[in-house]
Amino acid sequence: HVQLVESGGGSVQAGGSLKLSCTASGDTVNAYSMAWFRQEPAADREGVYALATDGTVNYATFVKGRFTISKDVAKNTLYLQMNGLKPDDTAVYYCAASRGWISPEFRLRAPWYDRWGQGTQVTVS
């Protein structure tokens, strides 16, 4: 099974940018549907952006063109480029993976993923 490690979180001012990385080991990211989720304290984990095995993407409406998901197969790494950050984006961001293809209507739903990273904190002030 794949193991996931996130990095790139931090503290930024509103309007700033961060690029999160999710480095996979143990298997190739090409075999997995992958996604970014985020979670605020006492809240459910919500889907942010998903990248399916066929290269199609799904994203939450609050992304509104500010975030972009990408993958570097050579580095076995998933990225989330976040621009125009707002205080409401403050959360712990998690990388998730599920082997194989996921139907679009389920890609931003946490129960469909069985591999998770430890999370990285993003704070926007």
Side-chain angles (χ1 to χ4, degrees):
H1 288 293
V2 70
Q3 291 85 45
L4 307 171
V5 177
E6 302 98 333
S7 61
S11 297
V12 296
Q13 293 187 337
S17 298
L18 283 174
K19 186 174 185 178
L20 305 184
S21 299
C22 171
T23 302
S25 60
D27 207 345
T28 173
V29 294
N30 265 348
Y32 290 80
S33 291
M34 302 190 73
W36 288 97
F37 287 78
R38 69 186 190 183
Q39 188 171 25
E40 299 175 57
D44 292 333
R45 199 165 291 190
E46 65 177 347
V48 178
Y49 226 123
L51 176 62
T53 53
D54 60 4
T56 57
V57 299
N58 297 82
Y59 52 86
T61 54
F62 60 76
V63 168
K64 293 181 181 177
R66 300 183 296 132
F67 297 177
T68 304
I69 197 169
S70 62
K71 180 173 66 177
D72 186 330
V73 176
K75 296 182 177 180
N76 220 28
T77 299
L78 181 75
Y79 300 101
L80 183 68
Q81 176 67 49
M82 304 187 294
N83 301 324
L85 284 163
K86 306 174 182 179
D88 285 349
D89 295 319
T90 295
V92 177
Y93 283 71
Y94 296 90
C95 175
S98 178
R99 209 170 206 285
W101 186 80
I102 298 177
S103 185
E105 64 266 35
F106 302 124
R107 290 176 189 167
L108 295 179
R109 299 187 186 182
W112 286 86
Y113 296 85
D114 57 357
R115 310 302 297 179
W116 293 85
Q118 82 289 351
T120 185
Q121 176 71 47
V122 171
T123 303
V124 185
S125 59

